[in-house]
Each structure stands twice: as structure tokens, then as C-alpha cells.
Amino acid sequence: MVVQDNVDAGDSWVGVRLEPFLHQVGGHLSVMKYDEHTVCKPLISQEQRFYESLPLAMKRFTPQYKGTITVHLRRDSRGHLSLVAPPLKENREPFKVSPESAAVAIWQTLQQTTSGGGSRPLAQRQQAQVAHSLKESPAKALLRPEFHLNAQVSSLVQDVNGNQVERRSFNPWGLHCHQAHLTRLCSEYPEEKRHRFLLLENVVSQYTHPCILDLKMGTRQHGDDASEEKKARHMRKCAQSTSACLGVRICGMQVYQTDKKHFLCKDKYYGRKLSVEGFRQTLYQFLHDGSRLRAELLEPILHRLRALLSVIRSQSSYRFYSSSLLIIYDGQEPTPGDLHPQEAPQKAPGSAPAGLAKVDIRMIDFAHTTYKGSWNEHTTYDGPDPGYIFGLENLIGILQDIQEGE
């Protein structure tokens, strides 16, 4: 979102205020929204090199890489923290935008309700009570069911003119990651410090109510450069979750419930505790809209997963340690009027074959991916990634069981 901020006298600037990405369901790095079709995340050199040398066959299964930007931290006169980036060349033409979006308004309200100060609003007091009772930080408390972030924050949010913004459900995980990221930036770096971010395609921009399943793939999660302590920690997580026995575990989820008009959300802590049967039930839940099983999605999802499996089998030397796989569909079912035959030739890369419901399958998070010719050549692997293939095969098998009604 390109904004001209004139809140502070003599402090005008033109830049892109990065918004918290409210559809981030997993991961720990903060994913930010740059514009409607672009997200960005903190740059990690190994991930950048992966995108820049991406095999052609994998491009339809990964977000489009759009380059990098320089970002800096900014605090306005009201004390609100923002990450600000320069506009891209194609965005430099003047156009009107709202100075506050729903995402920014939610974030600013969250800053007000979690910051220290004289008057403690109701939401802050309730959050502090939850945090105290759970012996954890306010940021972690936001993720607990005892603190109903959806209702409390949306009921407090107003735009700059004092008007109530649209109330809508959102996943709190992205705000949690954003808060943790800004806290770290404030404590470790001076405010004028520049930070590099990757620009990537927003793969859910075309969906009205994006239902997203974030799956951590493979039987091993630590990279080759992991310390012994980190290696042991990740091996323990794998051994205690479905990563060991299935090669896949749930890292986050949001699924739109049409009967209640909000997202049902699950986080990585929920996913780590699941048994094989619990994993199967959660996959079923991901395909259920609160009223019925979206059975028409199974065939296009399976079609895409089989195509991905074929591509992964053909990639020798690649190891996708700690990467995730997103399964995406729209919680708002298309009506016949939404379909226009003349639009058929302009299919998106993630489109399903004719006659199948639209779904998308994307690989993300490549900070620990290694391959022949990558920077970390002290370990080179032969053949395709066996752990990733094991996870894909099991995922396909479970979805086939759901399709057959088992």
C-alpha cells in the first residue's frame, strides 16, 4: 500500500507501509503485505539464491520471485511502529489510497492494547490476565483460545475518521509473528538501520476467503548448518510428531466456516500434538466448511499433489529441509455467474484442469534448502529428497482415503 503520511508536521514522506499479512498461518518469520499481489519477508541469503536458481519445472509450485527491497523501521508521532519500503517503479504514479487499511488499523489497536501506559483498556487488562495465568508473554497469549482476539480487536478498531471498519475474522498468527519481529528489530538494531526483504507473489490474493493448510514436509527439519543443540531440538520435534511416521505435519491452518462466517484456525503447537488419526481428521476438517465436506476439492488437490510428486522425483541433489507446502482453496464457493468461458485461456499457474474446482499447491520457505551448486557444498546429496517424497506419498494416500469415504 503506497501512502503519503502527513500525520507529523514537517515529516511527510512517500513510501509503502508494510501491512501485517493476516493470512499467514504458520512459520516464525513475519510475512508482510506489500501490495494486493505481493508479500515480503526478511531476506535470508540461502532462500534468495534458491529462488534465483529455481528449476523451471518447480516454478509453478512456488511463489513468483519479484526481487528484493530495502525496509526501515519507523515510529510516528502516535508511537505506532511501521516497516516502510520505497515504492516500486511501477507504483510511483500518484493514486488515491486509504491511509489506513483494516490490517494496519488492527495492528495499531493491538499496539495500543499491549503497550504500557496509564489507562489500561479492557482488552489490555484481559490479555494481561490471560498472559499472567499462562505464565507467558502477551504475544503468545494472543494465540490462546482464552483470549478471543477476533472479537475484541475488531470491536475496538476504527479508521482515521473514527468510523468502525469492517468486522471480519482473521488468523492471529501473522500478528504474533509481526509483533515478535518488531520487538526484535527494536531491541537489536537502531531505528535508521536498513533491512533487506524478499518480494514474493501473494498466492492467496485471488481468493475471497482463502482456506490455507501449511504442512511442514519431510522427516528431517534441520539444515546442514544447524548447531548440535538446534539439530537435537528439531529431531526431537520430528520424533514426537507425525513428521517421523508420515513425513508431514500440520504447521498451521485456517478454514472458512460458512455457517459462522469466520475462520477456524489451528497453529503449529496444535499440529505437533496430533497422532496419525488426528492428522487425518484435521485434513478432513480442513476440507469441511462447517456445513459440508467440500468433496469436489479432493480430485484437483490430488491432481496437483501427484504433479508435484513427479517434479520432486526429478530433482536430484535437492533437500528441502524445513520447507512447507501450502494447500489453498476459496472458502466462498463459486457461483455459475463467476465463471466466464472467455477467461479460460488466461489460467493462473495454479489452476486446475477444466471441470475441476480451483485449488493451489505451493512450496514455500527455502532458508535451509540445499542442492548441488548451492552455497553449502560441504554436504552434497544424490538423488531426489526421500523424506519429502515419503511425506507427499502419505499425504496423497490419506486424501485418497478421505475421497473414498474411509
Side-chain angles (χ1 to χ4, degrees):
M1 172 173 77
V2 180
V3 294
Q4 175 87 40
D5 188 341
N6 291 313
V7 173
D8 300 300
D11 185 27
S12 64
W13 50 272
V14 177
V16 180
R17 187 198 323 239
L18 303 182
E19 301 179 9
F21 184 56
L22 296 182
H23 295 301
Q24 180 179 355
V25 302
H28 65 278
L29 289 179
S30 178
V31 177
M32 308 293 293
K33 180 179 175 182
Y34 180 86
D35 61 29
E36 199 59 38
H37 303 287
T38 312
V39 296
C40 56
K41 60 185 292 192
L43 186 151
I44 296 175
S45 298
Q46 192 168 348
E47 184 167 34
Q48 180 186 9
R49 281 190 282 266
F50 170 82
Y51 277 112
E52 290 176 345
S53 62
L54 191 64
L56 184 61
M58 292 187 63
K59 287 196 173 182
R60 67 187 179 118
F61 294 105
T62 56
Q64 179 191 355
Y65 172 62
K66 299 186 177 186
T68 67
I69 53 169
T70 300
V71 172
H72 69 275
L73 191 65
R74 184 178 187 276
R75 189 188 302 272
D76 66 19
S77 60
R78 294 169 292 176
H80 294 148
L81 285 169
S82 301
L83 287 169
V84 180
L88 295 178
K89 290 180 181 178
E90 59 267 30
N91 286 339
R92 290 189 184 276
E93 294 78 14
F95 63 96
K96 291 184 178 180
V97 295
S98 167
E100 304 290 356
S101 71
V104 169
I106 289 168
W107 168 242
Q108 291 182 349
T109 301
L110 189 59
Q111 290 188 73
Q112 291 166 355
T113 59
T114 57
S115 61
S119 61
R120 289 164 58 91
L122 175 62
Q124 182 186 355
R125 292 199 303 271
Q126 290 176 327
Q127 183 184 346
Q129 289 167 1
V130 172
H132 177 74
S133 65
L134 294 170
K135 298 293 189 293
E136 61 190 1
S137 70
K140 288 185 177 179
L142 293 177
L143 303 176
R144 302 303 174 192
E146 292 90 338
F147 184 70
H148 303 289
L149 184 68
N150 291 11
Q152 292 187 13
V153 172
S154 62
S155 66
L156 289 168
V157 170
Q158 295 179 333
D159 64 18
V160 286
N161 299 317
N163 300 316
Q164 202 76 19
V165 300
E166 176 191 5
R167 292 185 181 215
R168 60 177 300 183
S169 170
F170 64 92
N171 193 319
W173 188 262
L175 290 177
H176 163 71
C177 294
H178 185 49
Q179 186 172 30
H181 185 215
L182 287 186
T183 300
R184 186 175 66 82
L185 291 183
C186 288
S187 62
E188 295 181 12
Y189 302 99
E191 201 162 307
E192 66 273 10
K193 166 79 175 176
R194 281 357 187 208
H195 306 273
R196 297 294 290 170
F197 276 53
L198 292 178
L199 284 169
L200 299 168
E201 172 192 4
N202 176 3
V203 296
V204 304
S205 62
Q206 60 186 305
Y207 299 96
T208 305
H209 298 299
C211 298
I212 308 166
L213 183 65
D214 185 327
L215 298 168
K216 187 73 75 174
M217 300 300 295
T219 52
R220 168 181 158 176
Q221 300 304 326
H222 61 276
D224 290 329
D225 57 342
S227 65
E228 287 302 313
E229 186 274 331
K230 187 174 183 180
K231 179 179 176 181
R233 188 171 71 249
H234 281 286
M235 290 176 68
R236 189 162 55 248
K237 289 177 186 175
C238 288
Q240 294 172 350
S241 69
T242 56
S243 290
C245 54
L246 292 178
V248 55
R249 75 170 182 259
I250 289 170
C251 202
M253 180 179 90
Q254 69 177 36
V255 54
Y256 190 69
Q257 304 294 281
T258 56
D259 55 340
K260 297 176 182 175
K261 308 297 183 188
H262 70 70
F263 286 104
L264 171 68
C265 304
K266 303 291 185 183
D267 62 27
K268 66 180 181 180
Y269 303 109
Y270 172 87
R272 285 180 194 168
K273 298 174 185 175
L274 292 175
S275 63
V276 172
E277 178 57 24
F279 179 88
R280 191 198 73 80
Q281 290 175 359
T282 305
L283 277 189
Y284 184 95
Q285 188 177 44
F286 173 65
L287 298 167
H288 201 286
D289 67 7
S291 300
R292 72 176 186 92
L293 178 70
R294 296 283 301 277
E296 75 278 8
L297 299 169
L298 282 159
E299 189 54 41
I301 289 173
L302 285 166
H303 175 86
R304 292 279 294 164
L305 288 175
R306 292 178 186 124
L308 174 60
L309 179 58
S310 177
V311 168
I312 297 297
R313 283 174 171 161
S314 70
Q315 301 305 315
S316 180
S317 83
Y318 278 82
R319 294 297 181 270
F320 302 99
Y321 299 137
S322 199
S323 75
S324 283
L325 184 67
L326 300 182
I327 301 179
I328 308 163
Y329 69 89
D330 203 328
Q332 178 170 299
E333 298 186 47
T335 62
D338 294 332
L339 305 175
H340 303 285
Q342 65 269 26
E343 293 179 359
Q346 290 86 34
K347 280 187 177 180
S351 298
L356 295 182
K358 183 175 72 174
V359 302
D360 208 350
I361 304 291
R362 301 292 183 109
M363 301 173 68
I364 60 168
D365 297 342
F366 303 104
H368 301 289
T369 294
T370 183
Y371 50 94
K372 189 174 182 180
S374 65
W375 71 278
N376 187 11
E377 286 212 56
H378 62 77
T379 305
T380 302
Y381 300 92
D382 294 321
D385 188 332
Y388 203 105
I389 291 172
F390 179 64
L392 270 179
E393 289 175 338
N394 282 317
L395 178 61
I396 289 169
I398 293 171
L399 288 170
Q400 285 174 334
D401 288 346
I402 293 174
Q403 187 179 41
E404 295 164 8
E406 295 184 8

